[in-house]
Amino acid sequence: MSSTAPGDYVIRSIRADEWPALKELRLRALRDPVAHLAYLETYDVAAARPDSYWQDRAAGAAEGASGARQIVAEVPGGMWLGTLTVLVEEAGTTDLAGFCVDRRQGHVVGVYVRPEWRGSGLTKALFDAGLEWAWASGLERVRLIVHPDNERAQGAYRKAGFAPSGRTVLLVGGPGDHELEFVLER
C-alpha cells in the first residue's frame, strides 16, 4: 500500500492547465499489463501525440466543460492516483460504436488507478464523483464498455453499481473483438 493512507487524497475535476499530469497518467495507464484489454489506443500512439492534443483533451474535460468531465484523485504534493472521464452522449446522436443514443447519457472512459491503490476504495470514490457530476448534469443513465476478459475491471464496475445490460459492442479489431456494455440507471 502507498505510504499515504486511503482517504488522504482529494477527488476533484481536472483543470485545463493540468494537461502534463493528464498525459503522464494516461501514458502510465497504457503501460498497465491489461492495457490491451482496457484501452482502445496503444502507448506508442499516445506517446507520439503532440502537446496540443493533450492540451485540447484536458480543456475539453476540465472544470467548466459541459460535454465531458475528467475526475482525478490527488494526494498532497500533486501526484494523481487515479482517474476516470464521463463523456456526455446526447439523445439522437450516434455513439462511438455506431449505436443510436436514445436518451441523454454519460459514457465512462479512461478508468485507471495506480496498482498500489487498487482495492483501497479509490476506484469507487472516483465513480461516486463521476456519477455525482453526471446526475447533476441531468444525465439519465451512465454506461461503459468493458472487455469480457477484463475481470478485474468488471469487478470494480459492479462494486460501483454498474450491471451488464446484455448489449455487446463490436470493436474494429477483427472477428470476435467485442466488449460488454455495463449500465447504471439514475
Side-chain angles (χ1 to χ4, degrees):
M1 193 56 144
S2 174
S3 61
T4 304
D8 289 349
Y9 51 78
V10 174
I11 305 266
R12 63 175 181 80
S13 299
I14 67 165
R15 296 183 304 272
D17 66 348
E18 294 180 308
W19 66 268
L22 177 150
K23 178 181 177 181
E24 186 276 328
L25 195 61
R26 178 63 174 187
L27 293 178
R28 179 177 297 275
L30 292 171
R31 286 189 168 156
D32 191 270
V34 296
H36 66 287
L37 296 178
Y39 306 109
L40 299 178
E41 85 179 322
T42 65
Y43 174 87
D44 292 338
V45 167
R49 295 188 187 278
D51 288 348
S52 60
Y53 169 84
W54 299 102
Q55 292 163 354
D56 290 346
R57 185 172 174 151
E63 286 179 326
S66 60
R69 181 61 47 99
Q70 184 165 358
I71 308 292
V72 294
E74 178 183 46
V75 291
M79 184 175 74
W80 288 4
L81 305 176
T83 187
L84 64 74
T85 300
V86 180
L87 306 174
V88 175
E89 295 178 331
E90 297 292 348
T93 63
T94 302
D95 70 13
L96 298 173
F99 290 112
C100 181
V101 177
D102 60 355
R103 56 188 161 152
R104 195 164 189 264
Q105 64 188 13
H107 187 152
V108 175
V109 298
V111 179
Y112 177 73
V113 171
R114 290 177 186 265
E116 65 271 22
W117 281 85
R118 293 176 187 158
S120 71
L122 179 63
T123 304
K124 175 82 165 65
L126 287 165
F127 268 99
D128 288 347
L131 291 168
E132 181 180 329
W133 179 81
W135 305 147
S137 298
L139 303 182
E140 297 177 37
R141 76 176 193 149
V142 177
R143 71 187 190 119
L144 53 85
I145 59 171
V146 60
H147 195 280
D149 295 337
N150 195 344
E151 293 175 8
R152 182 184 77 206
Q154 287 185 46
Y157 302 154
R158 288 176 196 276
K159 284 181 184 175
F162 287 78
S165 71
R167 178 181 266 181
T168 299
V169 178
L170 297 178
L171 300 176
V172 179
D177 287 347
H178 68 282
E179 295 204 351
L180 308 173
E181 181 186 62
F182 276 50
V183 299
L184 179 63
E185 300 288 336
R186 184 170 185 175

